[in-house]
Amino acid sequence: MAARVNVTVDAHLAIEVMLLTGTRNPQDAVELIVRDYLERSQRTEARTGEADDGKRGGDLQPYQPPEG
């Protein structure tokens, strides 16, 4: 059984994700991005080592929508 989580996302971010993934549903788009992120993370860890090396997440910047 899969758990369902509802997350509120800024409209600009949702549109960017939908354009990136080519989907028409923001929920599907975010799910695809998260799944891709997890797959890439697992592949990267397999090549470089553990994710808990203390170097992750320290320099993340908050999302800034494009000007326009």
Side-chain angles (χ1 to χ4, degrees):
M1 183 166 109
R4 277 291 220 213
V5 177
N6 291 323
V7 178
T8 303
V9 178
D10 179 69
H12 293 298
L13 179 59
I15 291 169
E16 289 289 326
V17 170
M18 289 168 60
L19 291 173
L20 248 172
T21 59
T23 60
R24 294 181 181 198
N25 181 330
Q27 184 173 338
D28 292 344
V30 171
E31 183 177 342
L32 287 171
I33 294 290
V34 170
R35 288 182 186 276
D36 183 63
Y37 174 82
L38 291 173
E39 287 177 19
R40 288 175 190 254
S41 177
Q42 290 170 359
R43 289 192 304 261
T44 301
E45 289 170 13
R47 297 178 77 184
T48 63
E50 295 295 319
D52 296 333
D53 61 5
K55 297 179 184 174
R56 248 183 181 196
D59 59 345
L60 292 177
Q61 300 295 322
Y63 173 77
Q64 295 293 326
E67 296 285 329

